[in-house]
C-alpha cells in the first residue's frame, strides 16, 4: 500500500513537473530570467522601470531579443540606452517589443500589423519563417502565467 501511494505521488509529481518547467507558473520576467539568455533584456527592463508592468496581470506578448541580439547592436548602444538621460528612448524601444494580449504563432498571418504598447505597429511576415519587422522569430509560443514570449534574433527599433 505504501509502495503504491509512493508510486502514485511520484507519477503525479513527474506529470505536473513539465507544466511548471514550461513557465506556466512563472510570469514573463521570471520565465525570461529562468531561460538564462535574456540577461541584457532583463537589465534593460529593470533600468526602464518596466519590470513591475511585465510581472502584471497581462496578458502580454513579448518579442524578446536574446543577449546575442543586443550584442549585435553597434558598440556602446546598450550602455548608452541604459543611461538615465536616455530613459525615454529605452522605454520606447522596449515597449515596441510588447503587444497587448496573448498572441500565439497560430494567430499570425503574413503582412499582419500588430500595434505595440509603444504605439507603433510591427509588421509580421510568415513567408520562409516568422519575422517581426526585420527580426526572425527563433522560438515561439513560450507560455508564461501572464502572456507569451516569442524569441527574436535582433532588437527591433521603432521607425526603422
Amino acid at each position: 500500500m505504501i509502495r503504491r501511494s509512493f508510486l502514485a505521488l511520484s507519477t503525479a509529481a513527474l506529470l505536473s513537473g513539465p507544466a511548471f518547467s514550461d513557465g506556466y507558473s512563472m510570469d514573463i520576467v521570471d520565465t525570461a530570467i529562468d531561460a538564462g539568455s535574456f540577461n541584457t533584456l532583463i537589465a534593460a527592463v529593470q533600468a526602464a522601470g518596466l519590470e513591475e508592468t511585465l510581472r502584471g496581470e497581462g496578458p502580454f506578448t513579448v518579442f524578446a531579443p536574446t543577449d546575442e541580439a543586443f550584442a549585435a547592436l553597434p558598440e556602446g548602444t546598450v550602455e548608452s540606452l541604459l543611461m538615465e538621460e536616455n530613459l525615454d528612448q529605452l522605454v520606447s524601444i522596449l515597449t515596441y517589443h510588447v503587444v497587448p494580449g496573448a498572441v500565439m504563432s497560430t494567430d499570425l498571418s503574413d503582412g499582419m500589423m500588430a500595434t505595440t504598447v509603444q504605439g507603433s505597429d510591427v509588421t509580421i511576415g510568415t513567408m520562409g519563417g516568422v519575422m517581426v519587422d526585420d527580426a526572425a522569430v527563433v522560438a515561439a509560443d513560450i507560455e508564461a502565467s501572464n502572456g507569451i514570449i516569442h524569441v527574436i534574433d535582433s532588437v527591433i527599433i521603432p521607425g526603422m
Side-chain angles (χ1 to χ4, degrees), residues 4-152:
R4 185 178 306 156
S5 296
F6 176 74
L7 287 174
L9 286 172
S10 297
T11 302
L14 286 173
L15 291 176
S16 66
F20 290 108
S21 66
D22 284 342
Y24 296 106
S25 66
M26 295 186 291
D27 61 37
I28 288 171
V29 174
D30 287 334
T31 301
I33 290 169
D34 190 55
S37 56
F38 303 102
N39 297 317
T40 307
L41 176 61
I42 295 303
V45 164
Q46 291 169 339
L50 296 173
E51 181 176 3
E52 187 174 323
T53 300
L54 289 177
R55 288 186 182 280
E57 187 175 322
F60 305 104
T61 299
V62 177
F63 299 107
T66 61
D67 291 335
E68 291 78 20
F70 279 100
L73 291 171
E75 188 174 333
T77 301
V78 173
E79 294 77 9
S80 175
L81 287 170
L82 293 175
M83 298 172 86
E84 181 77 28
E85 59 267 22
N86 296 325
L87 183 63
D88 289 344
Q89 185 179 10
L90 177 62
V91 168
S92 178
I93 290 169
L94 292 174
T95 56
Y96 188 64
H97 288 79
V98 180
V99 173
V103 182
M104 300 296 284
S105 61
T106 54
D107 298 326
L108 304 176
S109 60
D110 195 50
M112 175 181 177
M113 303 294 278
T115 303
T116 67
V117 172
Q118 183 262 357
S120 300
D121 290 340
V122 290
T123 303
I124 307 297
T126 59
M127 300 301 223
V130 177
M131 301 288 291
V132 179
D133 285 350
D134 292 326
V137 174
V138 296
D141 300 333
I142 300 168
E143 295 187 55
S145 64
N146 62 342
I148 307 296
I149 298 172
H150 300 292
V151 181
I152 56 177

